[in-house]
Coordinates of all heavy atoms in Angstrom, one line a residue:
M1 N 101.9 114.7 83.8 CA 103.2 114.0 83.7 C 103.1 112.8 82.9 O 102.2 111.9 83.2 CB 103.6 113.7 85.2 CG 104.9 113.0 85.2 SD 105.4 112.4 86.8 CE 105.0 110.7 86.6
L2 N 103.9 112.6 81.9 CA 103.9 111.4 81.1 C 105.0 110.5 81.7 O 106.1 110.9 82.0 CB 104.4 111.8 79.7 CG 103.4 112.6 78.8 CD1 104.0 113.1 77.6 CD2 102.2 111.8 78.5
A3 N 104.6 109.2 81.8 CA 105.5 108.2 82.4 C 105.1 106.8 81.9 O 104.0 106.6 81.6 CB 105.5 108.3 83.9
D4 N 106.1 105.9 82.0 CA 105.8 104.6 81.6 C 105.2 103.8 82.8 O 105.1 104.3 83.9 CB 106.9 103.9 80.9 CG 108.1 103.7 81.8 OD1 108.0 103.9 83.1 OD2 109.2 103.5 81.3
G5 N 104.9 102.5 82.6 CA 104.3 101.7 83.6 C 105.1 101.5 84.8 O 104.5 101.2 85.9
A6 N 106.4 101.7 84.8 CA 107.2 101.6 86.0 C 106.8 102.6 87.1 O 107.1 102.3 88.3 CB 108.7 101.7 85.7
Y7 N 106.1 103.6 86.7 CA 105.7 104.6 87.7 C 104.2 104.5 88.0 O 103.7 105.4 88.6 CB 106.0 106.0 87.1 CG 107.5 106.3 86.9 CD1 108.1 106.1 85.7 CD2 108.3 106.7 88.0 CE1 109.4 106.2 85.5 CE2 109.6 106.8 87.8 CZ 110.2 106.6 86.5 OH 111.5 106.8 86.3
G8 N 103.6 103.4 87.7 CA 102.2 103.2 87.8 C 101.7 102.8 89.2 O 100.8 102.1 89.3
T9 N 102.4 103.2 90.3 CA 102.1 102.8 91.6 C 101.0 103.7 92.2 O 100.8 104.8 91.7 CB 103.3 102.9 92.6 OG1 103.7 104.2 92.7 CG2 104.4 102.0 92.1
R10 N 100.3 103.2 93.1 CA 99.2 103.9 93.8 C 99.8 105.2 94.4 O 99.2 106.3 94.4 CB 98.5 103.1 94.8 CG 97.7 101.9 94.2 CD 97.1 101.1 95.3 NE 96.6 99.8 94.8 CZ 95.4 99.7 94.2 NH1 94.6 100.8 94.2 NH2 94.9 98.6 93.8
E11 N 101.0 105.1 95.0 CA 101.6 106.2 95.6 C 101.9 107.3 94.7 O 101.6 108.5 95.0 CB 102.9 105.8 96.3 CG 102.7 104.9 97.5 CD 102.5 103.4 97.1 OE1 102.8 103.0 95.9 OE2 102.1 102.6 97.9
N12 N 102.4 107.0 93.5 CA 102.6 108.0 92.5 C 101.4 108.7 92.0 O 101.3 109.9 91.9 CB 103.4 107.4 91.3 CG 104.8 107.2 91.6 OD1 105.4 107.7 92.5 ND2 105.5 106.3 90.8
F13 N 100.3 107.9 91.8 CA 99.0 108.5 91.3 C 98.5 109.5 92.4 O 98.0 110.5 92.1 CB 98.0 107.4 91.0 CG 98.2 106.8 89.7 CD1 98.8 105.7 89.5 CD2 97.6 107.5 88.5 CE1 99.0 105.1 88.2 CE2 97.8 107.0 87.3 CZ 98.4 105.8 87.1
D14 N 98.6 109.0 93.7 CA 98.1 109.9 94.8 C 98.9 111.2 94.9 O 98.4 112.2 95.1 CB 98.1 109.1 96.1 CG 97.0 108.1 96.1 OD1 96.0 108.2 95.3 OD2 97.1 107.2 97.0
F15 N 100.2 111.0 94.8 CA 101.1 112.2 94.9 C 100.8 113.2 93.9 O 100.6 114.4 94.2 CB 102.6 111.7 94.7 CG 103.6 112.8 94.7 CD1 104.1 113.2 95.9 CD2 104.0 113.4 93.6 CE1 105.1 114.3 96.0 CE2 105.0 114.4 93.6 CZ 105.5 114.8 94.8
L16 N 100.6 112.8 92.6 CA 100.3 113.7 91.5 C 98.9 114.3 91.7 O 98.7 115.5 91.5 CB 100.4 113.0 90.2 CG 101.8 112.5 89.8 CD1 101.7 111.6 88.6 CD2 102.7 113.7 89.6
R17 N 97.9 113.5 92.1 CA 96.5 114.0 92.3 C 96.4 115.0 93.4 O 95.8 116.1 93.2 CB 95.6 112.8 92.6 CG 94.2 113.3 92.7 CD 93.2 112.1 92.5 NE 91.9 112.6 92.4 CZ 90.9 112.4 93.2 NH1 91.1 111.5 94.2 NH2 89.7 112.9 93.0
K18 N 97.1 114.8 94.5 CA 97.1 115.8 95.6 C 97.7 117.1 95.2 O 97.3 118.2 95.7 CB 97.9 115.3 96.8 CG 97.2 114.2 97.5 CD 98.1 113.6 98.7 CE 97.4 112.4 99.3 NZ 98.3 111.8 100.3
R19 N 98.6 117.1 94.2 CA 99.2 118.4 93.7 C 98.5 118.9 92.5 O 99.0 119.9 91.9 CB 100.7 118.1 93.5 CG 101.4 118.0 94.8 CD 102.7 117.2 94.7 NE 103.3 117.1 96.0 CZ 102.9 116.2 97.0 NH1 101.9 115.4 96.8 NH2 103.5 116.2 98.1
G20 N 97.5 118.3 92.0 CA 96.7 118.8 90.9 C 97.4 118.6 89.6 O 97.2 119.3 88.6
I21 N 98.3 117.6 89.5 CA 99.1 117.3 88.3 C 98.4 116.1 87.6 O 98.1 115.1 88.2 CB 100.5 116.9 88.6 CG1 101.2 118.0 89.4 CG2 101.3 116.5 87.4 CD1 102.5 117.6 90.0
E22 N 98.1 116.3 86.3 CA 97.5 115.3 85.5 C 98.5 114.2 85.3 O 99.6 114.4 84.8 CB 96.9 115.8 84.2 CG 96.3 114.7 83.4 CD 95.8 115.2 82.0 OE1 96.1 116.4 81.6 OE2 95.2 114.4 81.3
S23 N 98.1 113.0 85.6 CA 99.0 111.8 85.4 C 98.6 111.1 84.1 O 97.5 110.8 83.8 CB 98.9 110.8 86.6 OG 97.6 110.4 86.7
V24 N 99.6 110.9 83.3 CA 99.4 110.1 82.1 C 100.5 109.0 82.2 O 101.6 109.0 81.7 CB 99.6 110.9 80.8 CG1 99.4 110.1 79.5 CG2 98.7 112.1 80.8
I25 N 100.1 108.0 83.0 CA 100.9 106.8 83.2 C 100.2 105.6 82.7 O 99.1 105.3 83.1 CB 101.2 106.7 84.8 CG1 101.8 108.0 85.3 CG2 102.1 105.5 85.0 CD1 102.0 108.0 86.8
R26 N 100.9 104.8 81.9 CA 100.3 103.6 81.3 C 100.2 102.6 82.4 O 101.2 102.3 83.1 CB 101.2 103.1 80.2 CG 100.5 102.0 79.5 CD 101.2 101.7 78.2 NE 100.4 100.7 77.5 CZ 100.9 100.0 76.5 NH1 102.1 100.3 76.1 NH2 100.2 99.1 75.9
M27 N 99.1 102.0 82.5 CA 98.8 101.0 83.5 C 98.7 99.6 82.9 O 98.4 99.5 81.7 CB 97.5 101.3 84.3 CG 97.6 102.6 85.0 SD 95.9 103.3 85.3 CE 95.6 104.0 83.6
R28 N 98.9 98.6 83.7 CA 98.7 97.2 83.2 C 97.3 97.0 82.7 O 96.4 97.7 83.2 CB 99.0 96.2 84.3 CG 100.4 96.2 84.8 CD 100.6 95.1 85.8 NE 99.5 94.9 86.7 CZ 99.3 95.4 87.9 NH1 100.3 96.1 88.4 NH2 98.3 95.2 88.7
K29 N 97.2 96.1 81.7 CA 95.8 95.8 81.2 C 94.9 95.3 82.3 O 93.7 95.6 82.3 CB 95.9 94.8 80.1 CG 96.7 95.3 78.9 CD 95.9 95.5 77.7 CE 96.7 95.8 76.5 NZ 96.6 97.2 76.1
N30 N 95.4 94.6 83.2 CA 94.6 94.0 84.3 C 94.6 94.8 85.6 O 94.2 94.3 86.6 CB 95.0 92.6 84.6 CG 96.4 92.5 85.2 OD1 97.2 93.5 85.1 ND2 96.8 91.4 85.7
A31 N 95.0 96.1 85.5 CA 95.0 97.0 86.7 C 93.5 97.1 87.2 O 92.6 97.2 86.4 CB 95.5 98.3 86.3
N32 N 93.4 97.0 88.5 CA 92.0 97.0 89.1 C 91.7 98.4 89.7 O 92.6 99.2 89.9 CB 91.8 95.9 90.1 CG 92.7 96.0 91.3 OD1 92.9 97.1 91.8 ND2 93.3 94.9 91.7
M33 N 90.5 98.6 90.0 CA 90.0 99.8 90.6 C 89.8 99.8 92.1 O 89.2 100.7 92.7 CB 88.7 100.3 89.9 CG 89.0 100.6 88.4 SD 87.5 101.2 87.5 CE 86.1 101.0 88.5
K34 N 90.4 98.8 92.8 CA 90.2 98.7 94.2 C 90.9 99.9 94.9 O 92.0 100.3 94.5 CB 90.8 97.4 94.7 CG 90.1 96.2 94.4 CD 90.8 95.0 95.0 CE 90.2 93.7 94.5 NZ 90.9 92.5 95.0
R35 N 90.2 100.4 95.9 CA 90.8 101.5 96.7 C 91.6 100.8 97.8 O 91.1 99.9 98.5 CB 89.8 102.4 97.2 CG 89.2 103.3 96.1 CD 88.2 104.2 96.7 NE 87.6 104.9 95.6 CZ 87.4 106.2 95.6 NH1 87.8 106.9 96.6 NH2 86.9 106.8 94.5
N36 N 92.8 101.2 98.0 CA 93.7 100.5 99.0 C 94.0 101.6 100.0 O 94.8 102.4 99.7 CB 94.9 100.0 98.3 CG 95.7 99.1 99.2 OD1 95.3 98.8 100.3 ND2 96.9 98.7 98.8
G37 N 93.4 101.5 101.2 CA 93.7 102.5 102.2 C 93.3 103.9 101.9 O 93.9 104.8 102.3
G38 N 92.2 104.0 101.2 CA 91.7 105.4 100.9 C 92.2 106.0 99.7 O 91.9 107.1 99.3
T39 N 93.1 105.3 99.0 CA 93.7 105.9 97.8 C 92.7 106.0 96.7 O 91.8 105.2 96.6 CB 94.9 105.1 97.3 OG1 95.5 105.7 96.2 CG2 94.5 103.7 96.9
S40 N 92.8 107.1 95.9 CA 91.8 107.2 94.8 C 92.4 107.6 93.5 O 91.7 107.5 92.5 CB 90.7 108.2 95.2 OG 91.3 109.5 95.4
G41 N 93.6 108.0 93.4 CA 94.2 108.5 92.2 C 94.3 107.4 91.1 O 93.8 107.6 90.0
R42 N 94.8 106.2 91.5 CA 94.9 105.2 90.5 C 93.6 104.6 90.1 O 93.4 104.4 88.9 CB 95.9 104.1 91.0 CG 96.2 103.0 90.0 CD 97.4 102.2 90.4 NE 97.6 101.1 89.5 CZ 97.5 99.9 89.8 NH1 97.1 99.5 91.0 NH2 97.7 98.9 88.9
P43 N 92.7 104.3 91.0 CA 91.4 103.7 90.6 C 90.7 104.6 89.6 O 90.0 104.2 88.6 CB 90.6 103.6 91.9 CG 91.7 103.4 92.9 CD 92.8 104.2 92.5
L44 N 90.7 105.9 89.8 CA 90.1 106.9 88.9 C 90.8 106.8 87.5 O 90.1 106.9 86.5 CB 90.1 108.3 89.4 CG 89.2 108.5 90.7 CD1 89.4 109.9 91.2 CD2 87.7 108.3 90.3
A45 N 92.1 106.7 87.5 CA 92.8 106.6 86.2 C 92.5 105.3 85.5 O 92.3 105.3 84.3 CB 94.3 106.7 86.5
V46 N 92.4 104.2 86.2 CA 92.0 103.0 85.6 C 90.6 103.1 85.0 O 90.3 102.6 83.9 CB 92.1 101.8 86.6 CG1 91.5 100.5 86.1 CG2 93.5 101.6 87.1
Q47 N 89.7 103.7 85.8 CA 88.3 103.8 85.3 C 88.3 104.6 84.0 O 87.6 104.3 83.0 CB 87.4 104.5 86.4 CG 86.0 104.6 86.0 CD 85.2 105.3 87.0 OE1 85.7 106.1 87.8 NE2 83.9 105.0 87.1
E48 N 89.0 105.7 84.0 CA 89.0 106.6 82.8 C 89.6 105.8 81.6 O 89.0 105.8 80.5 CB 89.9 107.8 83.0 CG 89.9 108.7 81.8 CD 90.8 109.9 82.1 OE1 91.8 109.8 82.8 OE2 90.6 111.0 81.5
R49 N 90.7 105.1 81.8 CA 91.3 104.3 80.7 C 90.3 103.2 80.2 O 90.2 103.0 79.0 CB 92.6 103.7 81.2 CG 93.5 103.0 80.2 CD 93.4 101.5 80.0 NE 93.0 100.7 81.0 CZ 93.8 100.0 81.8 NH1 95.1 100.0 81.6 NH2 93.3 99.2 82.7
D50 N 89.6 102.6 81.1 CA 88.7 101.5 80.7 C 87.5 102.1 80.0 O 87.0 101.4 79.0 CB 88.2 100.7 81.9 CG 89.3 99.8 82.5 OD1 90.4 99.7 81.8 OD2 89.2 99.3 83.7
L51 N 87.0 103.2 80.4 CA 85.9 103.9 79.7 C 86.2 104.3 78.3 O 85.5 104.1 77.4 CB 85.3 105.0 80.5 CG 84.6 104.7 81.8 CD1 84.3 106.0 82.5 CD2 83.3 104.0 81.4
L52 N 87.4 104.8 78.1 CA 87.9 105.3 76.8 C 88.4 104.2 75.9 O 88.3 104.3 74.7 CB 89.0 106.4 77.0 CG 88.6 107.7 77.7 CD1 89.8 108.6 77.9 CD2 87.6 108.4 76.8
G53 N 88.9 103.2 76.5 CA 89.6 102.1 75.7 C 91.0 102.5 75.6 O 91.4 103.7 75.6
E54 N 91.9 101.5 75.5 CA 93.4 101.8 75.6 C 93.8 102.7 74.4 O 94.6 103.6 74.6 CB 94.1 100.4 75.5 CG 95.6 100.5 75.4 CD 96.3 100.8 76.8 OE1 95.6 100.6 77.8 OE2 97.4 101.3 76.8
E55 N 93.4 102.4 73.2 CA 93.9 103.1 72.0 C 93.4 104.6 72.1 O 94.2 105.5 71.8 CB 93.5 102.5 70.7 CG 94.2 101.2 70.4 CD 95.7 101.4 70.4 OE1 96.2 102.3 69.7 OE2 96.4 100.5 71.0
Y56 N 92.2 104.8 72.4 CA 91.7 106.2 72.4 C 92.3 106.9 73.6 O 92.6 108.1 73.5 CB 90.1 106.2 72.5 CG 89.5 107.6 72.3 CD1 89.7 108.2 71.1 CD2 88.8 108.2 73.3 CE1 89.2 109.5 70.9 CE2 88.3 109.5 73.1 CZ 88.5 110.1 71.9 OH 88.0 111.4 71.7
W57 N 92.5 106.2 74.7 CA 93.1 106.9 75.9 C 94.5 107.4 75.5 O 94.9 108.5 75.8 CB 93.2 105.9 77.0 CG 94.0 106.4 78.2 CD1 93.5 107.1 79.3 CD2 95.4 106.2 78.5 NE1 94.4 107.4 80.2 CE2 95.6 106.9 79.7 CE3 96.4 105.6 77.9 CZ2 96.9 106.9 80.3 CZ3 97.7 105.6 78.4 CH2 97.9 106.3 79.6
R58 N 95.3 106.5 74.8 CA 96.6 106.9 74.3 C 96.6 108.2 73.4 O 97.4 109.1 73.5 CB 97.3 105.8 73.6 CG 97.7 104.6 74.5 CD 98.1 103.4 73.7 NE 99.3 103.7 72.9 CZ 100.5 103.5 73.2 NH1 100.8 102.9 74.3 NH2 101.5 103.8 72.4
Y59 N 95.5 108.2 72.6 CA 95.4 109.3 71.6 C 95.0 110.6 72.4 O 95.6 111.7 72.2 CB 94.3 109.0 70.6 CG 94.0 110.2 69.7 CD1 94.8 110.6 68.7 CD2 92.8 110.8 69.9 CE1 94.5 111.7 67.9 CE2 92.4 111.9 69.1 CZ 93.3 112.3 68.1 OH 93.0 113.4 67.3
V60 N 94.0 110.5 73.3 CA 93.5 111.7 74.0 C 94.6 112.2 74.9 O 94.7 113.5 75.0 CB 92.2 111.3 74.8 CG1 91.8 112.4 75.8 CG2 91.1 111.0 73.8
K61 N 95.3 111.4 75.6 CA 96.3 111.8 76.6 C 97.6 112.1 75.9 O 98.6 112.5 76.6 CB 96.5 110.7 77.6 CG 95.2 110.4 78.5 CD 94.9 111.6 79.3 CE 93.8 111.3 80.2 NZ 93.5 112.4 81.2
R62 N 97.8 111.8 74.6 CA 99.0 112.1 73.9 C 100.2 111.3 74.5 O 101.3 111.8 74.6 CB 99.3 113.6 73.8 CG 98.2 114.4 73.2 CD 98.4 115.9 73.3 NE 99.7 116.3 72.9 CZ 99.9 117.1 71.8 NH1 98.8 117.4 71.1 NH2 101.1 117.4 71.4
Y63 N 99.8 110.0 74.9 CA 100.8 109.2 75.5 C 102.1 108.9 74.6 O 103.2 108.8 75.1 CB 100.2 107.9 75.9 CG 101.2 107.0 76.7 CD1 101.5 107.3 78.0 CD2 101.8 105.9 76.0 CE1 102.4 106.5 78.7 CE2 102.7 105.1 76.7 CZ 103.0 105.4 78.0 OH 103.9 104.6 78.7
G64 N 101.9 108.9 73.3 CA 103.0 108.6 72.4 C 104.0 109.7 72.4 O 105.1 109.5 71.9
H65 N 103.7 110.9 72.8 CA 104.6 112.0 72.8 C 105.7 111.9 73.9 O 106.7 112.6 73.9 CB 103.9 113.3 73.0 CG 103.0 113.7 71.8 ND1 102.7 114.9 71.5 CD2 102.4 112.9 70.9 CE1 102.0 114.9 70.4 NE2 101.8 113.7 70.0
R66 N 105.5 110.9 74.8 CA 106.6 110.7 75.8 C 107.9 110.3 75.1 O 108.9 110.7 75.6 CB 106.1 109.5 76.7 CG 107.0 109.1 77.8 CD 106.4 108.0 78.6 NE 106.3 106.8 77.9 CZ 107.2 105.9 77.8 NH1 108.3 106.0 78.5 NH2 107.0 104.8 77.2
W67 N 107.8 109.6 74.0 CA 109.0 109.1 73.4 C 109.8 110.3 72.8 O 111.1 110.3 72.7 CB 108.7 108.1 72.3 CG 108.1 106.9 72.9 CD1 106.8 106.5 72.8 CD2 108.7 106.0 73.7 NE1 106.6 105.4 73.5 CE2 107.8 105.0 74.1 CE3 110.0 105.9 74.2 CZ2 108.1 103.9 74.9 CZ3 110.3 104.8 75.1 CH2 109.4 103.9 75.4
S68 N 109.2 111.4 72.3 CA 109.9 112.5 71.8 C 110.7 113.2 72.9 O 111.8 113.6 72.6 CB 109.0 113.5 71.1 OG 108.0 114.0 72.0
A69 N 110.1 113.3 74.1 CA 110.9 113.9 75.2 C 112.0 113.0 75.6 O 113.1 113.5 75.8 CB 109.9 114.1 76.4
E70 N 111.8 111.7 75.7 CA 112.9 110.8 76.0 C 114.0 110.8 75.0 O 115.2 110.8 75.3 CB 112.4 109.4 76.2 CG 111.6 109.2 77.5 CD 111.2 107.8 77.7 OE1 111.6 106.9 76.9 OE2 110.4 107.6 78.6
G71 N 113.6 111.0 73.7 CA 114.6 111.0 72.6 C 115.5 112.3 72.7 O 116.7 112.3 72.5
M72 N 114.9 113.4 73.1 CA 115.6 114.7 73.3 C 116.6 114.5 74.4 O 117.8 114.9 74.2 CB 114.6 115.8 73.6 CG 115.3 117.1 73.7 SD 114.4 118.4 74.6 CE 114.2 117.7 76.2
F73 N 116.2 113.9 75.5 CA 117.2 113.8 76.6 C 118.3 112.8 76.3 O 119.4 113.0 76.7 CB 116.4 113.3 77.9 CG 115.7 114.5 78.6 CD1 114.3 114.5 78.6 CD2 116.4 115.5 79.2 CE1 113.7 115.5 79.2 CE2 115.7 116.6 79.8 CZ 114.4 116.6 79.8
D74 N 118.0 111.8 75.5 CA 119.0 110.9 75.1 C 120.1 111.6 74.2 O 121.3 111.4 74.3 CB 118.4 109.7 74.4 CG 119.5 108.6 74.1 OD1 120.2 108.3 75.0 OD2 119.6 108.2 72.9
R75 N 119.6 112.4 73.2 CA 120.5 113.2 72.4 C 121.3 114.1 73.2 O 122.5 114.3 72.9 CB 119.7 113.9 71.3 CG 119.2 113.0 70.2 CD 118.6 113.8 69.0 NE 117.4 114.6 69.4 CZ 116.2 114.1 69.5 NH1 115.9 112.8 69.2 NH2 115.2 114.9 69.8
L76 N 120.7 114.8 74.2 CA 121.5 115.7 75.1 C 122.6 114.9 75.8 O 123.7 115.4 75.9 CB 120.5 116.4 76.0 CG 121.1 117.4 76.9 CD1 121.6 118.6 76.1 CD2 120.0 117.9 77.9
R77 N 122.2 113.7 76.3 CA 123.2 112.9 77.0 C 124.4 112.5 76.1 O 125.5 112.6 76.5 CB 122.5 111.7 77.6 CG 123.5 110.7 78.3 CD 122.8 109.4 78.6 NE 122.4 108.7 77.4 CZ 123.2 108.0 76.6 NH1 124.5 107.9 76.8 NH2 122.7 107.4 75.5
V78 N 124.1 112.2 74.9 CA 125.1 111.8 73.9 C 126.0 113.0 73.6 O 127.2 112.8 73.6 CB 124.5 111.2 72.6 CG1 125.5 111.0 71.6 CG2 123.8 109.9 72.9
C79 N 125.4 114.1 73.4 CA 126.2 115.3 73.1 C 127.2 115.6 74.3 O 128.4 115.9 74.1 CB 125.3 116.5 72.9 SG 124.5 116.5 71.3
W80 N 126.7 115.6 75.5 CA 127.5 115.9 76.7 C 128.6 114.9 76.9 O 129.7 115.2 77.2 CB 126.7 116.1 78.0 CG 126.1 117.4 78.1 CD1 124.8 117.8 77.8 CD2 126.8 118.6 78.5 NE1 124.6 119.1 78.0 CE2 125.8 119.7 78.5 CE3 128.1 118.9 78.9 CZ2 126.1 121.0 78.8 CZ3 128.4 120.2 79.2 CH2 127.4 121.2 79.2
T81 N 128.2 113.6 76.7 CA 129.2 112.5 76.9 C 130.3 112.7 75.9 O 131.5 112.6 76.2 CB 128.5 111.2 76.7 OG1 127.5 111.1 77.7 CG2 129.5 110.1 77.0
S82 N 130.0 112.9 74.6 CA 131.0 113.0 73.6 C 131.9 114.2 73.8 O 133.1 114.2 73.5 CB 130.4 113.0 72.2 OG 129.6 114.2 72.0
R83 N 131.3 115.3 74.3 CA 132.1 116.5 74.6 C 133.1 116.2 75.7 O 134.3 116.6 75.5 CB 131.2 117.7 75.0 CG 131.9 118.9 75.4 CD 131.0 120.0 75.8 NE 131.8 121.1 76.3 CZ 131.4 122.1 77.0 NH1 130.1 122.1 77.4 NH2 132.1 123.1 77.3
F84 N 132.7 115.5 76.7 CA 133.7 115.2 77.8 C 134.8 114.3 77.3 O 135.9 114.4 77.7 CB 133.0 114.7 79.0 CG 132.2 115.7 79.8 CD1 130.9 115.6 80.0 CD2 132.9 116.9 80.3 CE1 130.2 116.6 80.7 CE2 132.2 117.8 81.0 CZ 130.8 117.7 81.2
V85 N 134.4 113.3 76.5 CA 135.4 112.4 76.0 C 136.4 113.1 75.1 O 137.6 112.9 75.2 CB 134.7 111.3 75.2 CG1 135.7 110.4 74.4 CG2 133.9 110.4 76.1
R86 N 135.9 114.1 74.2 CA 136.8 114.8 73.4 C 137.8 115.7 74.2 O 138.9 115.8 73.8 CB 136.0 115.8 72.5 CG 135.5 115.2 71.2 CD 135.0 116.2 70.2 NE 134.3 117.4 70.8 CZ 133.0 117.4 71.0 NH1 132.2 116.4 70.5 NH2 132.4 118.5 71.5
E87 N 137.3 116.2 75.3 CA 138.1 117.1 76.1 C 139.0 116.3 77.1 O 139.7 116.9 77.9 CB 137.3 118.1 76.9 CG 136.6 119.1 76.0 CD 135.6 120.0 76.7 OE1 135.6 119.9 78.0 OE2 135.0 120.8 76.1
G88 N 138.9 115.0 77.1 CA 139.7 114.1 78.0 C 139.2 114.0 79.4 O 139.9 113.6 80.3
R89 N 137.9 114.5 79.7 CA 137.3 114.4 81.0 C 136.5 113.1 81.1 O 135.6 112.9 80.3 CB 136.4 115.6 81.3 CG 137.2 116.9 81.4 CD 136.2 117.9 81.9 NE 136.1 119.0 80.9 CZ 135.3 120.0 81.0 NH1 134.4 120.0 82.0 NH2 135.2 120.9 80.1
T90 N 136.8 112.3 82.0 CA 136.0 111.0 82.1 C 135.3 111.0 83.5 O 134.5 110.1 83.7 CB 136.9 109.8 82.0 OG1 138.0 109.9 83.0 CG2 137.5 109.7 80.6
S91 N 135.6 111.8 84.4 CA 134.8 111.8 85.7 C 134.3 113.2 86.0 O 134.6 114.1 85.5 CB 135.7 111.3 86.8 OG 136.9 112.0 86.9

């Protein structure tokens, strides 16, 4: 799952890890590897990012591709919005 830093909570990392989903969530530069209440998803992700380095992590995880998906959804939103405006539907 590709996501920006707003989704970088321990709970999200654990949720994805328990379900076997690879998380590609950008973390703060100063994110630590402390385990909080037995959580392990985020500390492992921080360790991997630190071992690879930020730039190589972005390359390996294809983090930059998140923008192409967001761009597609934005274009879809614009198309639907303009269609409803043309047809006189506002709600």
Side-chain angles (χ1 to χ4, degrees):
M1 181 187 98
L2 293 168
D4 62 16
Y7 297 95
T9 64
R10 294 177 189 275
E11 293 81 15
N12 284 341
F13 278 98
D14 288 342
F15 178 86
L16 296 170
R17 183 160 190 240
K18 286 177 186 173
R19 286 156 183 79
I21 301 170
E22 181 183 5
S23 60
V24 181
I25 301 172
R26 187 168 186 194
M27 297 156 282
R28 295 185 322 262
K29 299 246 186 252
N30 65 345
N32 63 44
M33 295 185 347
K34 290 181 187 174
R35 290 179 183 230
N36 191 7
T39 184
S40 63
R42 185 165 176 247
L44 290 174
V46 171
Q47 181 181 27
E48 180 184 31
R49 191 262 334 256
D50 290 347
L51 287 172
L52 294 174
E54 177 78 18
E55 290 302 314
Y56 190 63
W57 176 86
R58 290 170 61 97
Y59 173 75
V60 168
K61 298 293 186 171
R62 300 169 56 110
Y63 183 75
H65 292 206
R66 180 179 68 89
W67 297 110
S68 61
E70 287 184 7
M72 180 198 66
F73 282 112
D74 187 53
R75 286 190 297 277
L76 185 61
R77 179 191 58 82
V78 168
C79 288
W80 277 102
T81 303
S82 62
R83 177 180 176 199
F84 286 123
V85 169
R86 274 195 321 267
E87 293 176 4
R89 296 189 237 171
T90 57
S91 57

